[in-house]
Amino acid sequence: MPDHCYLCWLASETPTTWWLDSGEEDELQNALACGAVGITTNPPLAYQAIRSCPDSWKEGLREASSGLKPVELAEMLTSRVVKTGAQALMPLYEQTAGEQGYICAQVNPSKAGDRESMMALAKRFHSWAPNVAVKLPATAAGLDVLEDCVAEGITVAATVSFSVPQVLEVAVRYQQGQARARQAGIKPAKCFPVIMIGRIDDYLREVAQDRRSAATESDIRQAGLAITKRALHLYEERGYGANLIVAALRGPHHMAGLAGGKLIMSIHPKIKKMILAPDMPRAIGIDTEIEPDVMERLMTIPEFVRAYEPDGLKPEEFITFGVTQRTLSQFIESGWALLESFKAS
């Protein structure tokens, strides 16, 4: 493990761990050398993994995809990417007795309100490998499925999530699922709630501009940090057992502001390259509070308040939150739909 690597320092010297935010095989070994202990994927990342290195996939894909319906094709392609990553992480999963070495597999984003479809997908995804974490949307329906999965011993992640209310509700539903599992004599599985930190910043930037808010660009760059810091504080205060993942970083400032927290950072190769720059400070940032004047300006944006306050959103409002709809649409159009129409050359 190279001693000059910031991510190696992070993993070995702080409570913060990190996962690779990519399904591309050529990125994985380098990530593992820098201390990565898991992989996140979603439909766009699964599609990119296949498109980035078609020669390593095309022979098997051409044969396997023959006669499949579009939705079956998307699921099969997802399985290829996820199973490959799961196999690579299996030694770590086994060495740590299941504490580390997970890869996420996201259910069809067009089914975010369909409990029956998501549960069926979750069971199939779970069958691929013991170290698969089934990614479900943090919607009312997704939370119902999440609790049922935990009760059946299925490891889960809650994605399309941007707010304190969402990750708090995930933690509560995880506890309820754990209790049901123990009552049935089943070992409770793990749960990884996600905060998509860069996506909430992107959304609030547009809202602030539209409302002619006094919040500056510097303020907006700290919005997701404020949300994440509050969520982590509440998790620690309430003793929640779920493992928070911070995803969709937009730059080293997100990493620096959260370094040292008991968090999993999901880092895309593009952001990883920025973080590994020689001038990245090896400093704990999680305990640095957002300046009061910054918070004052952010609190003038109603959508920030909804994401920041523990009771800012009700579970039935999660799916209608603007950034939720935007993200689901992107996951469908830039990922799942492309997987459904994929043709091996």
Side-chain angles (χ1 to χ4, degrees):
M1 186 179 291
D3 58 10
H4 64 275
C5 171
Y6 172 88
L7 291 171
C8 298
W9 165 79
L10 188 80
S12 63
E13 302 295 331
T14 82
T16 309
T17 56
W18 77 279
W19 291 11
L20 176 66
D21 192 26
S22 170
E24 297 180 28
E25 288 184 84
D26 59 354
E27 295 285 351
L28 180 56
Q29 292 308 314
N30 179 268
L32 291 173
C34 288
V37 294
I39 300 172
T40 51
T41 72
N42 56 38
L45 290 177
Y47 177 74
Q48 290 166 17
I50 293 171
R51 294 297 300 176
S52 67
C53 194
D55 289 344
S56 65
W57 303 91
K58 64 181 182 182
E59 185 175 344
L61 293 180
R62 190 183 298 113
E63 179 181 349
S65 62
S66 177
L68 293 180
K69 297 176 182 178
V71 69
E72 295 171 336
L73 175 60
E75 186 175 333
M76 184 276 290
L77 294 173
T78 299
S79 76
R80 291 299 179 98
V81 174
V82 171
K83 288 177 181 178
T84 298
Q87 184 177 10
L89 290 168
M90 186 56 67
L92 178 61
Y93 176 81
E94 292 175 341
Q95 290 164 13
T96 61
E99 286 299 309
Q100 298 176 338
Y102 289 90
I103 182 168
C104 291
Q106 186 168 340
V107 301
N108 184 345
S110 70
K111 302 294 184 180
D114 186 336
R115 291 165 175 80
E116 185 176 344
S117 292
M118 286 192 288
M119 191 67 203
L121 274 173
K123 289 180 177 180
R124 291 200 295 274
F125 287 10
H126 174 65
S127 73
W128 293 345
N131 56 336
V132 169
V134 179
K135 248 185 180 181
L136 298 158
T139 59
L143 290 166
D144 286 345
V145 177
L146 181 144
E147 181 182 331
D148 288 345
C149 283
V150 174
E152 294 190 21
I154 298 173
T155 295
V156 291
T159 188
V160 196
S161 176
F162 322 89
S163 68
V164 172
Q166 284 176 293
V167 295
L168 291 182
E169 188 64 21
V170 171
V172 170
R173 300 302 290 271
Y174 178 46
Q175 286 184 328
Q176 292 172 184
Q178 285 180 305
R180 289 170 54 191
R182 293 190 183 102
Q183 189 173 15
I186 297 172
K187 180 181 178 181
K190 288 189 172 295
C191 177
F192 301 99
V194 174
I195 295 179
M196 306 185 84
I197 190 170
R199 286 181 177 268
I200 187 64
D201 285 359
D202 295 345
Y203 175 63
L204 292 173
R205 181 176 293 109
E206 288 194 6
V207 173
Q209 290 171 343
D210 188 62
R211 290 177 173 270
R212 296 182 176 177
S213 168
T216 66
E217 173 59 22
S218 176
D219 298 336
I220 296 298
R221 282 165 55 90
Q222 298 178 74
L225 289 171
I227 290 165
T228 305
K229 286 172 186 276
R230 188 167 205 195
L232 180 60
H233 172 74
L234 290 169
Y235 263 51
E236 292 174 343
E237 183 181 85
R238 299 177 184 184
Y240 289 146
N243 303 270
L244 276 172
I245 295 180
V246 182
L249 279 65
R250 293 295 184 257
H253 66 288
H254 282 143
M255 181 71 260
L258 299 173
K262 192 176 180 182
L263 297 162
I264 299 167
M265 305 299 293
S266 176
I267 303 175
H268 188 274
K270 178 176 66 176
I271 302 299
K272 174 171 165 279
K273 187 177 295 186
M274 299 179 191
I275 289 171
L276 293 180
D279 58 347
M280 185 72 179
R282 300 187 184 189
I284 301 300
I286 189 63
D287 297 325
T288 302
E289 296 184 2
I290 307 298
E291 293 293 333
D293 62 319
V294 174
M295 289 301 301
E296 184 177 347
R297 289 189 292 272
L298 287 173
M299 293 296 283
T300 66
I301 307 171
E303 296 302 276
F304 173 77
V305 176
R306 297 180 78 196
Y308 182 75
E309 295 293 352
D311 58 354
L313 289 163
K314 298 176 182 177
E316 60 268 25
E317 296 174 318
F318 293 166
I319 199 168
T320 60
F321 196 36
V323 64
T324 299
Q325 283 299 308
R326 169 188 286 187
T327 302
L328 286 171
S329 295
Q330 290 175 344
F331 280 172
I332 294 167
E333 295 165 9
S334 302
W336 195 268
L338 296 177
L339 291 169
E340 286 189 343
S341 60
F342 185 86
K343 290 182 173 58
S345 57

